[in-house]
Amino acid sequence: MGAKTVNRAERVKIRRWLNRLAFGLFVAIAIAVVYVTNVFLTERFTESTRNRAEVRMTLYVGNLISELQRNSIVPQLLARDPELLRALSAAEYSLSTQRLLSFVDEIGAASLMLLDKDGRTVAATDRNRLGENHRNAPYYINALRSNATIFTTVRTESGGFSFVYSRKMDDPSGTLGVMTVAVDLQKLERSWASISDAVFVADSEGTIILSTEPRWRGLVEEQALARQSPASAIDRAFEATRDWTVVPIDAYLRGEAVLRRETRVPFQGWKMVSFTTYDSVREKVNGVLALEIMGFAILLALAFWVSSRKSANRVVFFQRESAELRALNLRLQREIAERQKVEKTLEVAEQSLAQSSKLAALGEMSAAVSHELNQPLAAMKTYLAGARLLLQRKRADEALSSFGRIDDLIDRMGAITKQLKSYARKGKDAFEEVDVRDAVSTALSMMEPQLKTRKVAITRTLPSDPALIFGDRLRLEQVIINLLRNALDATKGVDDPSVEVTLTVTDAVRLIVRDNGAGIEDLDALFEPFYTTKQPGDGVGLGLAISSGIVTDLGGRLTARNGAKGGAVFEMTLPVLASDVQAAE
């Protein structure tokens, strides 16, 4: 009996050692398989990443050379333009800027500038640069010294670089000026940034002139990478060994190991360098390794399940006893979770409703302010352009007249913003005796800049006697301007556009604005806020809604209909100023 017990104990002990040995051997095989897989797949995916990086670099270089070559021919063509040569000869540049603007969109250049023989900007697509002196600029000096097109890289004040082609313009009488074309290479930077991790272009001296990292511009590669390197050598060691990386590290970018690729740009000794992280490689390799580890874990779990089969049978009884308790607990948890979810949903709905009300009020006020200030701002822009042109032509007296009109517009904008505060309370503090004829004349004067840009026949019919009402002249002018602007917009697609403004006085003051446009499609929703038939950006649909509210505050009514011969007809009816009100005043 004692011998059997000893033999059984030895067999149990041997079985335990065999199980431990099998477990250790299993773990060793799993580690070896994972390590070999990591080395093999890392090298394979790294080579694939390197090939894709080289293909992208070739594409980037091709796009860069194409952009440079496409713009290199532009100065030669513009330098022979007869109108520009005639403008330089006669020193008459009134139409030169407009001609350059007609070219810039087709060319795709950043900007065009025409310089006279003294280096002064006489025409430019960027009007803010008119009058600048470029006598000492390298692209101006080098262009005068050569008969070919010159390419110049210029460092800007912001730390970036601009790229300019320039060419001398001359005729039999001698040199007339220089034509410059700024190449827009920043758009290539933006396209690189959306695909690659980091890309830069360096000139023949190694200075970075284009880069997806703005802080690199103006530096050499070593200085640029020093700004992005890890804090210490210990950090580099951790980065190099992270995720079992077995490929050689070319450089570090933002503390991460990257693959560096360099390609020569066949233009003035330039070169292009790109940095690609190993994240995609590690993701693919780690995905395969995760599957392998999961497979080994499943096998190990099966082994443990088989070995623990007896223990599992023992707990079945206890599982059955606790099944009802777990089911009851689960039902209680579900009820609690549902109640908490309902309470949270109700709270979120209340907050969303309150926030929506606030945003709606804020949006309506913002849109109203933007709409009411649109006309004065447009007029100010036109007067400023005219004043700038008059000052350039030494016609200061006429420019003062434009500045006077701008001052009036500023007062009007201040009155508008002050008037907008009264929309909520609808007060009558600013009401006074108003001649509607004067309001119509002022509104037409405000619309003068828009009328000059289009050929629209304006027919104005006003009575010889005053058309007096009791109201706010500023708000009345706003209504008339809105009606005129809508009429002008409605006649944009008409061959012979015309607008009729008729003012009559009988038992009431009636102002009718009629156009020969396409008419009104939806009369019911016409005066609803934010209803508009214009393109996005041309209007927000508040003009007629605000106008209707103003006319109602003045005691009148604003209606709309389609004309018998086509077009839209807007009629504003206001009460005539009573004699007792005049006497009280």
Side-chain angles (χ1 to χ4, degrees):
M1 187 68 179
K4 292 182 179 179
T5 303
V6 172
N7 292 334
R8 186 180 299 171
E10 290 180 354
R11 286 196 299 269
V12 172
K13 186 175 181 179
I14 292 173
R15 190 180 298 111
R16 290 178 179 176
W17 278 105
L18 290 176
N19 291 335
R20 293 176 183 177
L21 181 61
F23 176 75
L25 183 61
F26 178 83
V27 171
I29 294 175
I31 293 176
V33 171
V34 170
Y35 177 78
V36 173
T37 303
N38 174 69
V39 173
F40 173 75
L41 293 181
T42 300
E43 292 179 352
R44 181 177 178 181
F45 290 146
T46 300
E47 183 65 24
S48 177
T49 301
R50 185 179 292 109
N51 293 336
R52 287 198 302 270
E54 291 178 353
V55 171
R56 283 199 303 268
M57 288 283 288
T58 303
L59 180 61
Y60 293 166
V61 171
N63 292 338
L64 179 60
I65 293 300
S66 175
E67 188 70 19
L68 291 171
Q69 290 177 348
R70 185 169 59 85
N71 286 273
S72 63
I73 196 64
V74 175
Q76 183 177 358
L77 297 177
L78 295 181
R80 299 174 180 177
D81 187 79
E83 294 190 15
L84 296 178
L85 291 173
R86 187 163 47 251
L88 289 172
S89 300
E92 177 58 41
Y93 312 109
S94 59
L95 300 178
S96 300
T97 295
Q98 189 62 34
R99 184 162 183 79
L100 294 182
L101 287 171
S102 65
F103 291 145
V104 69
D105 291 335
E106 298 178 1
I107 295 172
S111 65
L112 303 176
M113 286 194 305
L114 179 64
L115 311 179
D116 62 9
K117 60 182 179 181
D118 295 326
R120 184 173 61 90
T121 303
V122 296
T125 55
D126 184 1
R127 298 181 185 272
N128 296 325
R129 306 196 67 177
L130 291 174
E132 291 183 355
N133 195 309
H134 302 266
R135 178 186 295 272
N136 298 323
Y139 47 81
Y140 174 76
I141 297 174
N142 295 335
L144 292 180
R145 295 175 179 176
S146 174
N147 292 326
T149 301
I150 304 299
F151 180 82
T152 308
T153 303
V154 182
R155 185 71 180 267
T156 62
E157 296 179 357
S158 61
F161 290 86
S162 61
F163 308 93
V164 181
Y165 279 109
S166 58
R167 187 180 181 90
K168 179 174 62 176
M169 301 180 65
D170 50 16
D171 62 1
S173 63
T175 300
L176 299 178
V178 173
M179 171 58 65
T180 67
V181 178
V183 186
D184 185 11
L185 298 183
Q186 283 70 27
K187 61 184 179 182
L188 298 179
E189 286 183 323
R190 294 188 291 270
S191 65
W192 299 340
S194 62
I195 300 177
S196 302
D197 296 296
V199 179
F200 72 78
V201 177
D203 59 13
S204 58
E205 298 179 354
T207 303
I208 297 175
I209 56 179
L210 289 172
S211 176
T212 56
E213 299 287 338
R215 292 184 293 177
W216 288 5
R217 298 190 187 103
L219 304 176
V220 296
E221 182 178 354
E222 292 76 10
Q223 295 173 341
L225 292 178
R227 289 190 173 187
Q228 303 288 343
S229 60
S232 63
I234 297 177
D235 296 328
R236 289 190 178 93
F238 279 118
E239 293 292 341
T241 57
R242 188 182 64 178
D243 291 335
W244 303 330
T245 301
V246 295
V247 295
I249 306 304
D250 294 337
Y252 283 89
L253 180 65
R254 292 186 290 271
E256 295 185 6
V258 294
L259 173 69
R260 181 184 182 276
R261 295 282 90 187
E262 178 178 330
T263 302
R264 185 180 68 87
V265 180
F267 183 80
Q268 295 190 356
W270 289 6
K271 68 177 181 179
M272 178 180 291
V273 178
S274 72
F275 298 95
T276 304
T277 62
Y278 292 98
D279 291 342
S280 60
V281 175
R282 292 312 321 158
E283 290 175 358
K284 296 177 181 178
V285 175
N286 290 343
V288 177
L289 296 181
L291 292 176
E292 288 186 349
I293 294 174
M294 184 181 298
F296 285 119
I298 292 174
L299 292 177
L300 188 61
L302 289 175
F304 278 111
W305 179 79
V306 172
S307 64
S308 61
R309 181 71 178 273
K310 293 181 180 180
S311 300
N313 293 331
R314 294 176 183 177
V315 300
V316 171
F317 175 74
F318 299 101
Q319 291 179 349
R320 291 177 179 175
E321 286 186 347
S322 59
E324 294 182 0
L325 294 176
R326 288 198 302 269
L328 178 60
N329 186 31
L330 183 60
R331 287 196 299 269
L332 293 176
Q333 289 179 355
R334 288 177 178 175
E335 289 182 4
I336 294 173
E338 290 178 358
R339 293 197 178 192
Q340 291 178 347
K341 184 177 180 180
V342 171
E343 293 177 356
K344 187 175 181 180
T345 303
L346 180 59
E347 182 180 356
V348 171
E350 293 176 352
Q351 294 177 355
S352 300
L353 181 60
Q355 186 67 16
S356 299
S357 299
K358 295 179 182 178
L359 291 176
L362 180 60
E364 185 174 350
M365 176 168 286
S366 301
V369 172
S370 173
H371 183 274
E372 295 300 332
L373 294 181
N374 185 40
Q375 286 295 334
L377 286 174
M380 287 176 62
K381 183 176 180 182
T382 303
Y383 288 140
L384 280 174
R388 184 184 295 111
L389 184 60
L390 291 173
L391 289 176
Q392 291 176 355
R393 296 180 179 179
K394 310 298 182 182
R395 296 161 63 181
D397 294 338
E398 298 181 20
L400 288 176
S401 176
S402 296
F403 288 133
R405 294 186 177 183
I406 293 173
D407 187 57
D408 295 338
L409 290 172
I410 292 174
D411 294 339
R412 179 178 181 82
M413 291 171 63
I416 289 174
T417 56
K418 180 179 178 182
Q419 188 66 42
L420 288 175
K421 298 178 182 179
S422 66
Y423 282 172
R425 61 178 184 270
K426 297 183 180 179
K428 298 185 178 180
D429 299 336
F431 280 18
E432 60 183 359
E433 179 181 325
V434 178
D435 191 345
V436 182
R437 299 180 304 170
D438 297 336
V440 172
S441 299
T442 303
L444 289 173
S445 177
M446 285 290 296
M447 295 296 294
E448 182 179 355
Q450 293 188 15
L451 296 175
K452 288 183 177 180
T453 60
R454 296 181 54 201
K455 294 182 179 180
V456 182
I458 303 296
T459 303
R460 176 172 52 180
T461 304
L462 303 179
S464 57
D465 297 328
L468 300 178
I469 66 168
F470 186 66
D472 187 343
R473 175 171 177 172
L474 176 61
R475 300 177 73 182
L476 178 61
E477 292 175 0
Q478 291 172 356
V479 174
I480 299 174
I481 290 174
N482 283 334
L483 297 180
L484 291 173
R485 186 178 61 183
N486 287 339
L488 292 178
D489 293 340
T491 57
K492 285 185 177 180
V494 180
D495 295 335
D496 297 319
S498 64
V499 177
E500 298 180 7
V501 181
T502 305
L503 178 64
T504 60
V505 181
T506 55
D507 56 340
V509 177
R510 289 182 174 82
L511 177 66
I512 299 175
V513 178
R514 185 192 310 270
D515 62 69
N516 63 342
I520 304 171
E521 296 180 359
D522 191 352
L523 290 171
D524 295 333
L526 185 62
F527 295 100
E528 293 294 330
F530 301 105
Y531 170 80
T532 180
T533 58
K534 300 178 182 178
Q535 296 295 327
D538 293 340
V540 296
L542 283 174
L544 292 177
I546 294 175
S547 300
S548 179
I550 292 175
V551 175
T552 301
D553 291 343
L554 297 178
R557 184 178 62 176
L558 179 62
T559 59
R561 64 180 184 275
N562 289 318
K565 298 181 180 180
V569 179
F570 287 88
E571 181 175 348
M572 178 176 61
T573 305
L574 296 172
V576 179
L577 179 64
S579 58
D580 55 346
V581 176
Q582 290 179 309
E585 291 181 353

